[in-house]
Amino acid sequence: MKKLALLSFMMFSLAGMAQKAAPIVTKLATSQTATSKGVDIKKVESNLAEMTSVLSLTEPQKEMFKELFTTKYRLLNEAAGASDERKEIIYQTIARKLEASLPNDQYEKLKANQQVFHNLTH
């Protein structure tokens, strides 16, 4: 009985350690894919800076939008030479993700600044 209790304790402690390590692995994988996919990091940072010029974002929001803009440029790179319809779908998807990710007041403030909103979605 003691061996069974010890074994189950060890399994749960190992599982707990693995869950704590997962975010680090995910963050590393995200940063590696951003550079390995040929995404221009300067464009991503430019979009993020433009967004923060209109909105005050928290650090977690900045990280989330950095990933979103990285995905945007990766998709646009993959769609190079594709139809305008495909690119328009990407633009609309980015706009919807912005709307879903921001509180209503921040989204309305961003959308009111049409030049910035266009630059972020296109």
Side-chain angles (χ1 to χ4, degrees):
M1 187 68 175
K2 288 181 183 179
K3 289 181 182 180
L4 182 61
L6 181 62
L7 181 63
S8 62
F9 173 76
M10 289 174 57
M11 287 177 53
F12 285 117
S13 63
L14 287 174
M17 288 173 43
Q19 288 177 350
K20 290 179 184 176
I24 295 169
V25 172
T26 305
K27 197 169 219 176
L28 287 174
T30 303
S31 65
Q32 288 174 352
T33 55
T35 56
S36 66
K37 295 291 183 182
V39 173
D40 187 0
I41 301 298
K42 290 180 183 179
K43 289 181 180 179
V44 172
E45 291 172 353
S46 173
N47 277 167
L48 191 59
E50 197 167 9
M51 188 174 190
T52 54
S53 71
V54 176
L55 304 174
S56 57
L57 300 175
T58 63
E59 285 303 315
Q61 283 179 317
K62 287 179 184 179
E63 287 298 317
M64 178 179 57
F65 290 120
K66 187 174 183 178
E67 290 179 25
L68 176 65
F69 296 138
T70 302
T71 302
K72 174 182 98 169
Y73 286 111
R74 181 181 50 80
L75 290 173
L76 289 173
N77 285 345
E78 291 172 0
S83 68
D84 290 338
E85 183 178 300
R86 168 104 170 112
K87 290 179 183 177
E88 189 60 38
I89 291 170
I90 294 170
Y91 302 149
Q92 290 174 0
T93 302
I94 298 300
R96 287 186 192 122
K97 294 238 181 213
L98 285 172
E99 182 179 12
S101 302
L102 289 168
N104 284 339
D105 59 330
Q106 284 186 322
Y107 179 73
E108 291 302 323
K109 186 176 180 180
L110 181 64
K111 192 148 183 177
N113 191 332
Q114 292 201 357
Q115 182 63 38
V116 172
F117 187 76
H118 182 268
N119 292 344
L120 295 178
T121 56
H122 287 72

